[in-house]
Amino acid sequence: MKKYSALVLALLGSFSAMSHAETVLKFGVDPSFPPFESKAADGTLVGFDIDLGNAICKQANVKCEWVETAYDSIIPALNAKKFDAVLSAMAITPKRKAQVNFTDVLYNIPSVLVAKKGSTLDATAEALKGKVIGVSQGTTQETYAMAVWQSKGVQVVSYQNQDAVNLDLESGRIDATFTNAAAAETGFLKTKAGADFAFVGKTVLDPQYLGEGAAIALRKDDQAHMDIINKALAGIHANGVYKLLEKKYFTFDVFKNNKPSA
């Protein structure tokens, strides 16, 4: 009887492990924001968020699936249960916290203006009055620019994604873009097209509009995935995987919010 019980327990344990291993975690992502998420030449998803998500899934012993979704509709898609969580450089803001719950913070990075090298522009309404500033739709930078600058004579133009903003910046149709500092430093400014551009003025940190850092968004009633993700996130910090991924993409500490080098 004891041998039979031991066998049953072993089989149940094996079944439980297999069931857990076969669990799927679906992340919604808009792959138009390198170095956090973008597409390689062969169409595969790449970037810091993609690597973080895959590391979280491996730590939690679940299978990762990625669902591509436009950023300005990504929260409605989450709440419509098209995927389980949003992992797409999403900043924690009061407005978003009313719609979704957030995991522990992934990273916290300031926002910055990018303009022609030598520009005297600064990230203030006074310095930008009469100028045209490009932002990506659905981002905290768009929210900030609309709320803080637009009513004071700054023309804020929203684009479908940051790639479209960068094209108009390069062509001179806008004076600057207001964007995530890490994305600009490791993305556009590293390209041939961005060679004549640089950070201008001071970086901006404003929790009211720009958030308290980036995290993974979940539906309000989804405590199960919250527990799985937070436990796995703590695990990849403890085992050093997070630090390895950070060093792969950045020259500065994105978790402690150090300023990127200009």
Side-chain angles (χ1 to χ4, degrees), residues 33-38 46-55 66 87 106-109 182 236-237 241-250 254-255:
F33 198 52
F36 299 98
E37 45 265 340
S38 59
V46 295
F48 186 49
D49 280 345
I50 306 302
D51 283 357
L52 277 180
N54 288 332
W66 297 89
L87 180 42
L106 297 176
Y107 46 80
N108 192 12
I109 299 169
I236 66 172
H237 275 289
V241 169
Y242 182 96
K243 184 59 67 176
L244 288 174
L245 295 179
E246 179 187 58
K247 288 181 178 179
K248 176 181 175 181
Y249 290 94
F250 308 109
V254 299
F255 190 68

PDB file of all heavy atoms in Angstrom, residues 33-38 46-55 66 87 106-109 182 236-237 241-250 254-255:
ATOM      1  N   PHE A  33       9.829  49.789 -31.096  1.00  0.00           N
ATOM      2  CA  PHE A  33      10.472  50.644 -30.120  1.00  0.00           C
ATOM      3  C   PHE A  33      11.808  50.057 -29.665  1.00  0.00           C
ATOM      4  O   PHE A  33      11.973  49.661 -28.522  1.00  0.00           O
ATOM      5  CB  PHE A  33       9.526  50.831 -28.924  1.00  0.00           C
ATOM      6  CG  PHE A  33       9.857  52.006 -28.045  1.00  0.00           C
ATOM      7  CD1 PHE A  33      10.033  53.277 -28.563  1.00  0.00           C
ATOM      8  CD2 PHE A  33       9.977  51.833 -26.677  1.00  0.00           C
ATOM      9  CE1 PHE A  33      10.324  54.353 -27.741  1.00  0.00           C
ATOM     10  CE2 PHE A  33      10.263  52.899 -25.835  1.00  0.00           C
ATOM     11  CZ  PHE A  33      10.441  54.169 -26.384  1.00  0.00           C
ATOM     12  N   PRO A  34      12.790  49.988 -30.587  1.00  0.00           N
ATOM     13  CA  PRO A  34      14.101  49.476 -30.184  1.00  0.00           C
ATOM     14  C   PRO A  34      14.766  50.434 -29.191  1.00  0.00           C
ATOM     15  O   PRO A  34      14.500  51.639 -29.241  1.00  0.00           O
ATOM     16  CB  PRO A  34      14.882  49.447 -31.506  1.00  0.00           C
ATOM     17  CG  PRO A  34      14.205  50.482 -32.378  1.00  0.00           C
ATOM     18  CD  PRO A  34      12.757  50.421 -31.997  1.00  0.00           C
ATOM     19  N   PRO A  35      15.575  49.942 -28.254  1.00  0.00           N
ATOM     20  CA  PRO A  35      16.056  48.559 -28.116  1.00  0.00           C
ATOM     21  C   PRO A  35      15.141  47.680 -27.270  1.00  0.00           C
ATOM     22  O   PRO A  35      15.519  46.583 -26.909  1.00  0.00           O
ATOM     23  CB  PRO A  35      17.394  48.756 -27.405  1.00  0.00           C
ATOM     24  CG  PRO A  35      17.111  49.890 -26.468  1.00  0.00           C
ATOM     25  CD  PRO A  35      16.216  50.833 -27.257  1.00  0.00           C
ATOM     26  N   PHE A  36      13.948  48.169 -26.949  1.00  0.00           N
ATOM     27  CA  PHE A  36      13.054  47.391 -26.085  1.00  0.00           C
ATOM     28  C   PHE A  36      12.319  46.307 -26.850  1.00  0.00           C
ATOM     29  O   PHE A  36      12.238  45.168 -26.394  1.00  0.00           O
ATOM     30  CB  PHE A  36      12.071  48.326 -25.377  1.00  0.00           C
ATOM     31  CG  PHE A  36      12.761  49.328 -24.496  1.00  0.00           C
ATOM     32  CD1 PHE A  36      13.014  50.614 -24.944  1.00  0.00           C
ATOM     33  CD2 PHE A  36      13.181  48.969 -23.234  1.00  0.00           C
ATOM     34  CE1 PHE A  36      13.670  51.530 -24.146  1.00  0.00           C
ATOM     35  CE2 PHE A  36      13.842  49.878 -22.415  1.00  0.00           C
ATOM     36  CZ  PHE A  36      14.096  51.164 -22.878  1.00  0.00           C
ATOM     37  N   GLU A  37      11.755  46.662 -28.000  1.00  0.00           N
ATOM     38  CA  GLU A  37      11.099  45.663 -28.834  1.00  0.00           C
ATOM     39  C   GLU A  37      11.094  46.130 -30.275  1.00  0.00           C
ATOM     40  O   GLU A  37      10.724  47.269 -30.573  1.00  0.00           O
ATOM     41  CB  GLU A  37       9.655  45.389 -28.377  1.00  0.00           C
ATOM     42  CG  GLU A  37       8.842  46.613 -28.062  1.00  0.00           C
ATOM     43  CD  GLU A  37       8.871  46.946 -26.580  1.00  0.00           C
ATOM     44  OE1 GLU A  37       9.185  46.051 -25.778  1.00  0.00           O
ATOM     45  OE2 GLU A  37       8.606  48.097 -26.229  1.00  0.00           O
ATOM     46  N   SER A  38      11.537  45.237 -31.173  1.00  0.00           N
ATOM     47  CA  SER A  38      11.540  45.521 -32.598  1.00  0.00           C
ATOM     48  C   SER A  38      11.628  44.193 -33.334  1.00  0.00           C
ATOM     49  O   SER A  38      11.622  43.123 -32.715  1.00  0.00           O
ATOM     50  CB  SER A  38      12.710  46.432 -32.984  1.00  0.00           C
ATOM     51  OG  SER A  38      13.945  45.837 -32.645  1.00  0.00           O
ATOM     52  N   VAL A  46      12.923  40.973 -31.308  1.00  0.00           N
ATOM     53  CA  VAL A  46      14.167  41.141 -30.568  1.00  0.00           C
ATOM     54  C   VAL A  46      14.050  42.354 -29.654  1.00  0.00           C
ATOM     55  O   VAL A  46      13.196  43.209 -29.838  1.00  0.00           O
ATOM     56  CB  VAL A  46      15.378  41.320 -31.517  1.00  0.00           C
ATOM     57  CG1 VAL A  46      15.618  40.065 -32.345  1.00  0.00           C
ATOM     58  CG2 VAL A  46      15.168  42.525 -32.443  1.00  0.00           C
ATOM     59  N   GLY A  47      14.927  42.437 -28.653  1.00  0.00           N
ATOM     60  CA  GLY A  47      14.968  43.608 -27.791  1.00  0.00           C
ATOM     61  C   GLY A  47      15.007  43.245 -26.320  1.00  0.00           C
ATOM     62  O   GLY A  47      14.854  42.081 -25.926  1.00  0.00           O
ATOM     63  N   PHE A  48      15.253  44.258 -25.488  1.00  0.00           N
ATOM     64  CA  PHE A  48      15.377  44.070 -24.043  1.00  0.00           C
ATOM     65  C   PHE A  48      14.105  43.494 -23.445  1.00  0.00           C
ATOM     66  O   PHE A  48      14.147  42.542 -22.653  1.00  0.00           O
ATOM     67  CB  PHE A  48      15.725  45.409 -23.396  1.00  0.00           C
ATOM     68  CG  PHE A  48      16.023  45.339 -21.923  1.00  0.00           C
ATOM     69  CD1 PHE A  48      16.902  44.401 -21.410  1.00  0.00           C
ATOM     70  CD2 PHE A  48      15.434  46.234 -21.041  1.00  0.00           C
ATOM     71  CE1 PHE A  48      17.201  44.344 -20.056  1.00  0.00           C
ATOM     72  CE2 PHE A  48      15.716  46.188 -19.677  1.00  0.00           C
ATOM     73  CZ  PHE A  48      16.599  45.238 -19.184  1.00  0.00           C
ATOM     74  N   ASP A  49      12.947  44.045 -23.812  1.00  0.00           N
ATOM     75  CA  ASP A  49      11.682  43.524 -23.282  1.00  0.00           C
ATOM     76  C   ASP A  49      11.438  42.085 -23.720  1.00  0.00           C
ATOM     77  O   ASP A  49      10.917  41.270 -22.953  1.00  0.00           O
ATOM     78  CB  ASP A  49      10.510  44.397 -23.724  1.00  0.00           C
ATOM     79  CG  ASP A  49      10.358  45.660 -22.887  1.00  0.00           C
ATOM     80  OD1 ASP A  49      10.964  45.730 -21.801  1.00  0.00           O
ATOM     81  OD2 ASP A  49       9.638  46.569 -23.323  1.00  0.00           O
ATOM     82  N   ILE A  50      11.791  41.784 -24.966  1.00  0.00           N
ATOM     83  CA  ILE A  50      11.597  40.424 -25.473  1.00  0.00           C
ATOM     84  C   ILE A  50      12.462  39.444 -24.685  1.00  0.00           C
ATOM     85  O   ILE A  50      11.997  38.380 -24.256  1.00  0.00           O
ATOM     86  CB  ILE A  50      11.935  40.343 -26.975  1.00  0.00           C
ATOM     87  CG1 ILE A  50      11.135  41.385 -27.781  1.00  0.00           C
ATOM     88  CG2 ILE A  50      11.676  38.933 -27.505  1.00  0.00           C
ATOM     89  CD1 ILE A  50       9.633  41.281 -27.652  1.00  0.00           C
ATOM     90  N   ASP A  51      13.730  39.825 -24.476  1.00  0.00           N
ATOM     91  CA  ASP A  51      14.622  38.969 -23.690  1.00  0.00           C
ATOM     92  C   ASP A  51      14.150  38.841 -22.239  1.00  0.00           C
ATOM     93  O   ASP A  51      14.221  37.759 -21.644  1.00  0.00           O
ATOM     94  CB  ASP A  51      16.051  39.521 -23.721  1.00  0.00           C
ATOM     95  CG  ASP A  51      16.766  39.233 -25.035  1.00  0.00           C
ATOM     96  OD1 ASP A  51      16.171  38.550 -25.893  1.00  0.00           O
ATOM     97  OD2 ASP A  51      17.907  39.700 -25.213  1.00  0.00           O
ATOM     98  N   LEU A  52      13.669  39.962 -21.664  1.00  0.00           N
ATOM     99  CA  LEU A  52      13.140  39.908 -20.295  1.00  0.00           C
ATOM    100  C   LEU A  52      11.944  38.967 -20.210  1.00  0.00           C
ATOM    101  O   LEU A  52      11.836  38.159 -19.289  1.00  0.00           O
ATOM    102  CB  LEU A  52      12.721  41.307 -19.831  1.00  0.00           C
ATOM    103  CG  LEU A  52      13.784  42.233 -19.270  1.00  0.00           C
ATOM    104  CD1 LEU A  52      13.153  43.566 -18.865  1.00  0.00           C
ATOM    105  CD2 LEU A  52      14.490  41.614 -18.073  1.00  0.00           C
ATOM    106  N   GLY A  53      11.019  39.110 -21.158  1.00  0.00           N
ATOM    107  CA  GLY A  53       9.833  38.254 -21.156  1.00  0.00           C
ATOM    108  C   GLY A  53      10.181  36.784 -21.283  1.00  0.00           C
ATOM    109  O   GLY A  53       9.645  35.936 -20.559  1.00  0.00           O
ATOM    110  N   ASN A  54      11.107  36.475 -22.193  1.00  0.00           N
ATOM    111  CA  ASN A  54      11.514  35.083 -22.373  1.00  0.00           C
ATOM    112  C   ASN A  54      12.226  34.549 -21.130  1.00  0.00           C
ATOM    113  O   ASN A  54      12.062  33.382 -20.759  1.00  0.00           O
ATOM    114  CB  ASN A  54      12.415  34.955 -23.602  1.00  0.00           C
ATOM    115  CG  ASN A  54      11.641  35.129 -24.899  1.00  0.00           C
ATOM    116  OD1 ASN A  54      10.443  34.833 -24.973  1.00  0.00           O
ATOM    117  ND2 ASN A  54      12.299  35.616 -25.935  1.00  0.00           N
ATOM    118  N   ALA A  55      13.017  35.413 -20.476  1.00  0.00           N
ATOM    119  CA  ALA A  55      13.705  35.006 -19.243  1.00  0.00           C
ATOM    120  C   ALA A  55      12.704  34.770 -18.116  1.00  0.00           C
ATOM    121  O   ALA A  55      12.852  33.832 -17.321  1.00  0.00           O
ATOM    122  CB  ALA A  55      14.720  36.065 -18.836  1.00  0.00           C
ATOM    123  N   TRP A  66       4.088  35.696 -28.059  1.00  0.00           N
ATOM    124  CA  TRP A  66       4.045  37.140 -28.257  1.00  0.00           C
ATOM    125  C   TRP A  66       2.961  37.490 -29.263  1.00  0.00           C
ATOM    126  O   TRP A  66       2.888  36.896 -30.340  1.00  0.00           O
ATOM    127  CB  TRP A  66       5.410  37.633 -28.740  1.00  0.00           C
ATOM    128  CG  TRP A  66       6.490  37.405 -27.729  1.00  0.00           C
ATOM    129  CD1 TRP A  66       7.279  36.291 -27.596  1.00  0.00           C
ATOM    130  CD2 TRP A  66       6.868  38.292 -26.674  1.00  0.00           C
ATOM    131  NE1 TRP A  66       8.127  36.438 -26.530  1.00  0.00           N
ATOM    132  CE2 TRP A  66       7.907  37.652 -25.952  1.00  0.00           C
ATOM    133  CE3 TRP A  66       6.447  39.566 -26.282  1.00  0.00           C
ATOM    134  CZ2 TRP A  66       8.524  38.242 -24.846  1.00  0.00           C
ATOM    135  CZ3 TRP A  66       7.058  40.154 -25.185  1.00  0.00           C
ATOM    136  CH2 TRP A  66       8.080  39.503 -24.475  1.00  0.00           C
ATOM    137  N   LEU A  87       3.869  43.560 -22.243  1.00  0.00           N
ATOM    138  CA  LEU A  87       5.298  43.772 -21.999  1.00  0.00           C
ATOM    139  C   LEU A  87       5.829  44.540 -23.193  1.00  0.00           C
ATOM    140  O   LEU A  87       6.288  43.987 -24.175  1.00  0.00           O
ATOM    141  CB  LEU A  87       6.027  42.444 -21.817  1.00  0.00           C
ATOM    142  CG  LEU A  87       7.536  42.485 -21.545  1.00  0.00           C
ATOM    143  CD1 LEU A  87       7.904  43.579 -20.559  1.00  0.00           C
ATOM    144  CD2 LEU A  87       8.030  41.143 -21.065  1.00  0.00           C
ATOM    145  N   LEU A 106      10.113  47.083 -13.891  1.00  0.00           N
ATOM    146  CA  LEU A 106      11.153  46.473 -14.721  1.00  0.00           C
ATOM    147  C   LEU A 106      12.369  47.387 -14.838  1.00  0.00           C
ATOM    148  O   LEU A 106      13.514  46.945 -14.722  1.00  0.00           O
ATOM    149  CB  LEU A 106      10.616  46.185 -16.129  1.00  0.00           C
ATOM    150  CG  LEU A 106       9.469  45.189 -16.258  1.00  0.00           C
ATOM    151  CD1 LEU A 106       9.021  45.108 -17.709  1.00  0.00           C
ATOM    152  CD2 LEU A 106       9.889  43.812 -15.746  1.00  0.00           C
ATOM    153  N   TYR A 107      12.109  48.677 -15.107  1.00  0.00           N
ATOM    154  CA  TYR A 107      13.173  49.674 -15.253  1.00  0.00           C
ATOM    155  C   TYR A 107      12.547  51.055 -15.221  1.00  0.00           C
ATOM    156  O   TYR A 107      11.335  51.208 -15.364  1.00  0.00           O
ATOM    157  CB  TYR A 107      13.969  49.463 -16.549  1.00  0.00           C
ATOM    158  CG  TYR A 107      13.117  49.218 -17.778  1.00  0.00           C
ATOM    159  CD1 TYR A 107      12.511  50.260 -18.473  1.00  0.00           C
ATOM    160  CD2 TYR A 107      12.899  47.918 -18.242  1.00  0.00           C
ATOM    161  CE1 TYR A 107      11.721  50.028 -19.576  1.00  0.00           C
ATOM    162  CE2 TYR A 107      12.112  47.675 -19.359  1.00  0.00           C
ATOM    163  CZ  TYR A 107      11.524  48.732 -20.024  1.00  0.00           C
ATOM    164  OH  TYR A 107      10.730  48.490 -21.114  1.00  0.00           O
ATOM    165  N   ASN A 108      13.377  52.079 -15.022  1.00  0.00           N
ATOM    166  CA  ASN A 108      12.893  53.458 -14.990  1.00  0.00           C
ATOM    167  C   ASN A 108      13.882  54.344 -15.736  1.00  0.00           C
ATOM    168  O   ASN A 108      15.030  54.494 -15.311  1.00  0.00           O
ATOM    169  CB  ASN A 108      12.730  53.936 -13.548  1.00  0.00           C
ATOM    170  CG  ASN A 108      11.959  55.244 -13.461  1.00  0.00           C
ATOM    171  OD1 ASN A 108      11.359  55.681 -14.436  1.00  0.00           O
ATOM    172  ND2 ASN A 108      11.978  55.881 -12.308  1.00  0.00           N
ATOM    173  N   ILE A 109      13.447  54.905 -16.842  1.00  0.00           N
ATOM    174  CA  ILE A 109      14.335  55.639 -17.747  1.00  0.00           C
ATOM    175  C   ILE A 109      13.738  57.008 -18.046  1.00  0.00           C
ATOM    176  O   ILE A 109      12.543  57.117 -18.327  1.00  0.00           O
ATOM    177  CB  ILE A 109      14.531  54.842 -19.057  1.00  0.00           C
ATOM    178  CG1 ILE A 109      15.188  53.485 -18.740  1.00  0.00           C
ATOM    179  CG2 ILE A 109      15.382  55.621 -20.051  1.00  0.00           C
ATOM    180  CD1 ILE A 109      15.193  52.519 -19.884  1.00  0.00           C
ATOM    181  N   ALA A 182      16.745  55.952 -23.403  1.00  0.00           N
ATOM    182  CA  ALA A 182      17.479  54.735 -23.741  1.00  0.00           C
ATOM    183  C   ALA A 182      17.186  54.290 -25.169  1.00  0.00           C
ATOM    184  O   ALA A 182      18.091  53.861 -25.895  1.00  0.00           O
ATOM    185  CB  ALA A 182      17.127  53.623 -22.762  1.00  0.00           C
ATOM    186  N   ILE A 236      15.042  36.288 -11.603  1.00  0.00           N
ATOM    187  CA  ILE A 236      16.086  36.657 -12.565  1.00  0.00           C
ATOM    188  C   ILE A 236      16.949  37.811 -12.059  1.00  0.00           C
ATOM    189  O   ILE A 236      18.056  38.019 -12.553  1.00  0.00           O
ATOM    190  CB  ILE A 236      15.508  36.960 -13.966  1.00  0.00           C
ATOM    191  CG1 ILE A 236      14.614  38.203 -13.965  1.00  0.00           C
ATOM    192  CG2 ILE A 236      14.782  35.746 -14.522  1.00  0.00           C
ATOM    193  CD1 ILE A 236      14.184  38.642 -15.371  1.00  0.00           C
ATOM    194  N   HIS A 237      16.446  38.561 -11.080  1.00  0.00           N
ATOM    195  CA  HIS A 237      17.317  39.524 -10.397  1.00  0.00           C
ATOM    196  C   HIS A 237      18.297  38.775  -9.494  1.00  0.00           C
ATOM    197  O   HIS A 237      19.496  39.074  -9.474  1.00  0.00           O
ATOM    198  CB  HIS A 237      16.491  40.512  -9.566  1.00  0.00           C
ATOM    199  CG  HIS A 237      15.979  41.681 -10.338  1.00  0.00           C
ATOM    200  ND1 HIS A 237      16.798  42.700 -10.791  1.00  0.00           N
ATOM    201  CD2 HIS A 237      14.729  42.010 -10.744  1.00  0.00           C
ATOM    202  CE1 HIS A 237      16.077  43.600 -11.429  1.00  0.00           C
ATOM    203  NE2 HIS A 237      14.810  43.198 -11.417  1.00  0.00           N
ATOM    204  N   VAL A 241      20.520  37.020 -14.109  1.00  0.00           N
ATOM    205  CA  VAL A 241      20.096  37.069 -15.517  1.00  0.00           C
ATOM    206  C   VAL A 241      19.695  38.490 -15.922  1.00  0.00           C
ATOM    207  O   VAL A 241      20.035  38.960 -17.007  1.00  0.00           O
ATOM    208  CB  VAL A 241      18.937  36.075 -15.771  1.00  0.00           C
ATOM    209  CG1 VAL A 241      18.308  36.312 -17.146  1.00  0.00           C
ATOM    210  CG2 VAL A 241      19.445  34.645 -15.666  1.00  0.00           C
ATOM    211  N   TYR A 242      18.980  39.193 -15.029  1.00  0.00           N
ATOM    212  CA  TYR A 242      18.564  40.558 -15.352  1.00  0.00           C
ATOM    213  C   TYR A 242      19.783  41.427 -15.658  1.00  0.00           C
ATOM    214  O   TYR A 242      19.806  42.169 -16.646  1.00  0.00           O
ATOM    215  CB  TYR A 242      17.765  41.171 -14.195  1.00  0.00           C
ATOM    216  CG  TYR A 242      17.266  42.578 -14.486  1.00  0.00           C
ATOM    217  CD1 TYR A 242      15.980  42.794 -14.961  1.00  0.00           C
ATOM    218  CD2 TYR A 242      18.109  43.686 -14.327  1.00  0.00           C
ATOM    219  CE1 TYR A 242      15.525  44.074 -15.246  1.00  0.00           C
ATOM    220  CE2 TYR A 242      17.670  44.969 -14.619  1.00  0.00           C
ATOM    221  CZ  TYR A 242      16.387  45.162 -15.077  1.00  0.00           C
ATOM    222  OH  TYR A 242      15.950  46.430 -15.375  1.00  0.00           O
ATOM    223  N   LYS A 243      20.795  41.360 -14.828  1.00  0.00           N
ATOM    224  CA  LYS A 243      21.988  42.184 -15.007  1.00  0.00           C
ATOM    225  C   LYS A 243      22.700  41.861 -16.320  1.00  0.00           C
ATOM    226  O   LYS A 243      23.190  42.765 -17.012  1.00  0.00           O
ATOM    227  CB  LYS A 243      22.936  41.989 -13.823  1.00  0.00           C
ATOM    228  CG  LYS A 243      24.176  42.880 -13.845  1.00  0.00           C
ATOM    229  CD  LYS A 243      23.842  44.362 -13.855  1.00  0.00           C
ATOM    230  CE  LYS A 243      23.188  44.820 -12.573  1.00  0.00           C
ATOM    231  NZ  LYS A 243      22.954  46.296 -12.562  1.00  0.00           N
ATOM    232  N   LEU A 244      22.740  40.597 -16.687  1.00  0.00           N
ATOM    233  CA  LEU A 244      23.360  40.203 -17.957  1.00  0.00           C
ATOM    234  C   LEU A 244      22.602  40.795 -19.143  1.00  0.00           C
ATOM    235  O   LEU A 244      23.210  41.288 -20.099  1.00  0.00           O
ATOM    236  CB  LEU A 244      23.403  38.674 -18.075  1.00  0.00           C
ATOM    237  CG  LEU A 244      24.404  37.947 -17.173  1.00  0.00           C
ATOM    238  CD1 LEU A 244      24.221  36.441 -17.297  1.00  0.00           C
ATOM    239  CD2 LEU A 244      25.845  38.333 -17.537  1.00  0.00           C
ATOM    240  N   LEU A 245      21.272  40.749 -19.080  1.00  0.00           N
ATOM    241  CA  LEU A 245      20.471  41.310 -20.160  1.00  0.00           C
ATOM    242  C   LEU A 245      20.614  42.824 -20.217  1.00  0.00           C
ATOM    243  O   LEU A 245      20.680  43.413 -21.307  1.00  0.00           O
ATOM    244  CB  LEU A 245      19.001  40.924 -19.973  1.00  0.00           C
ATOM    245  CG  LEU A 245      18.673  39.428 -20.085  1.00  0.00           C
ATOM    246  CD1 LEU A 245      17.195  39.192 -19.846  1.00  0.00           C
ATOM    247  CD2 LEU A 245      19.089  38.890 -21.439  1.00  0.00           C
ATOM    248  N   GLU A 246      20.653  43.475 -19.069  1.00  0.00           N
ATOM    249  CA  GLU A 246      20.832  44.926 -19.009  1.00  0.00           C
ATOM    250  C   GLU A 246      22.130  45.330 -19.692  1.00  0.00           C
ATOM    251  O   GLU A 246      22.168  46.273 -20.506  1.00  0.00           O
ATOM    252  CB  GLU A 246      20.827  45.381 -17.560  1.00  0.00           C
ATOM    253  CG  GLU A 246      21.019  46.876 -17.360  1.00  0.00           C
ATOM    254  CD  GLU A 246      21.163  47.229 -15.892  1.00  0.00           C
ATOM    255  OE1 GLU A 246      22.088  46.696 -15.248  1.00  0.00           O
ATOM    256  OE2 GLU A 246      20.340  48.018 -15.392  1.00  0.00           O
ATOM    257  N   LYS A 247      23.209  44.612 -19.395  1.00  0.00           N
ATOM    258  CA  LYS A 247      24.514  44.936 -19.982  1.00  0.00           C
ATOM    259  C   LYS A 247      24.555  44.667 -21.488  1.00  0.00           C
ATOM    260  O   LYS A 247      25.331  45.295 -22.208  1.00  0.00           O
ATOM    261  CB  LYS A 247      25.605  44.128 -19.284  1.00  0.00           C
ATOM    262  CG  LYS A 247      25.893  44.592 -17.858  1.00  0.00           C
ATOM    263  CD  LYS A 247      26.994  43.764 -17.212  1.00  0.00           C
ATOM    264  CE  LYS A 247      27.304  44.276 -15.819  1.00  0.00           C
ATOM    265  NZ  LYS A 247      28.365  43.469 -15.156  1.00  0.00           N
ATOM    266  N   LYS A 248      23.724  43.753 -21.941  1.00  0.00           N
ATOM    267  CA  LYS A 248      23.642  43.455 -23.376  1.00  0.00           C
ATOM    268  C   LYS A 248      23.137  44.657 -24.166  1.00  0.00           C
ATOM    269  O   LYS A 248      23.554  44.880 -25.310  1.00  0.00           O
ATOM    270  CB  LYS A 248      22.723  42.245 -23.589  1.00  0.00           C
ATOM    271  CG  LYS A 248      22.464  41.880 -25.042  1.00  0.00           C
ATOM    272  CD  LYS A 248      21.522  40.688 -25.136  1.00  0.00           C
ATOM    273  CE  LYS A 248      21.141  40.370 -26.584  1.00  0.00           C
ATOM    274  NZ  LYS A 248      20.190  39.224 -26.668  1.00  0.00           N
ATOM    275  N   TYR A 249      22.247  45.447 -23.556  1.00  0.00           N
ATOM    276  CA  TYR A 249      21.588  46.531 -24.278  1.00  0.00           C
ATOM    277  C   TYR A 249      22.019  47.934 -23.873  1.00  0.00           C
ATOM    278  O   TYR A 249      21.916  48.864 -24.682  1.00  0.00           O
ATOM    279  CB  TYR A 249      20.070  46.417 -24.107  1.00  0.00           C
ATOM    280  CG  TYR A 249      19.478  45.240 -24.833  1.00  0.00           C
ATOM    281  CD1 TYR A 249      19.272  44.022 -24.177  1.00  0.00           C
ATOM    282  CD2 TYR A 249      19.144  45.322 -26.182  1.00  0.00           C
ATOM    283  CE1 TYR A 249      18.741  42.931 -24.843  1.00  0.00           C
ATOM    284  CE2 TYR A 249      18.612  44.239 -26.854  1.00  0.00           C
ATOM    285  CZ  TYR A 249      18.413  43.047 -26.183  1.00  0.00           C
ATOM    286  OH  TYR A 249      17.899  41.960 -26.862  1.00  0.00           O
ATOM    287  N   PHE A 250      22.479  48.119 -22.641  1.00  0.00           N
ATOM    288  CA  PHE A 250      22.688  49.477 -22.143  1.00  0.00           C
ATOM    289  C   PHE A 250      24.069  49.657 -21.525  1.00  0.00           C
ATOM    290  O   PHE A 250      24.685  48.698 -21.058  1.00  0.00           O
ATOM    291  CB  PHE A 250      21.619  49.832 -21.092  1.00  0.00           C
ATOM    292  CG  PHE A 250      20.215  49.591 -21.559  1.00  0.00           C
ATOM    293  CD1 PHE A 250      19.464  48.546 -21.044  1.00  0.00           C
ATOM    294  CD2 PHE A 250      19.646  50.400 -22.527  1.00  0.00           C
ATOM    295  CE1 PHE A 250      18.164  48.318 -21.475  1.00  0.00           C
ATOM    296  CE2 PHE A 250      18.346  50.184 -22.973  1.00  0.00           C
ATOM    297  CZ  PHE A 250      17.612  49.132 -22.449  1.00  0.00           C
ATOM    298  N   VAL A 254      19.682  50.759 -15.841  1.00  0.00           N
ATOM    299  CA  VAL A 254      18.306  51.174 -16.116  1.00  0.00           C
ATOM    300  C   VAL A 254      17.379  50.864 -14.948  1.00  0.00           C
ATOM    301  O   VAL A 254      16.286  51.420 -14.864  1.00  0.00           O
ATOM    302  CB  VAL A 254      17.754  50.515 -17.402  1.00  0.00           C
ATOM    303  CG1 VAL A 254      18.568  50.914 -18.603  1.00  0.00           C
ATOM    304  CG2 VAL A 254      17.689  48.994 -17.274  1.00  0.00           C
ATOM    305  N   PHE A 255      17.804  49.989 -14.051  1.00  0.00           N
ATOM    306  CA  PHE A 255      16.948  49.653 -12.920  1.00  0.00           C
ATOM    307  C   PHE A 255      17.011  50.729 -11.836  1.00  0.00           C
ATOM    308  O   PHE A 255      16.028  51.052 -11.203  1.00  0.00           O
ATOM    309  CB  PHE A 255      17.348  48.297 -12.327  1.00  0.00           C
ATOM    310  CG  PHE A 255      16.366  47.777 -11.321  1.00  0.00           C
ATOM    311  CD1 PHE A 255      15.098  47.385 -11.711  1.00  0.00           C
ATOM    312  CD2 PHE A 255      16.702  47.681  -9.985  1.00  0.00           C
ATOM    313  CE1 PHE A 255      14.176  46.901 -10.797  1.00  0.00           C
ATOM    314  CE2 PHE A 255      15.787  47.185  -9.052  1.00  0.00           C
ATOM    315  CZ  PHE A 255      14.529  46.813  -9.463  1.00  0.00           C
TER     316      PHE A 255
END
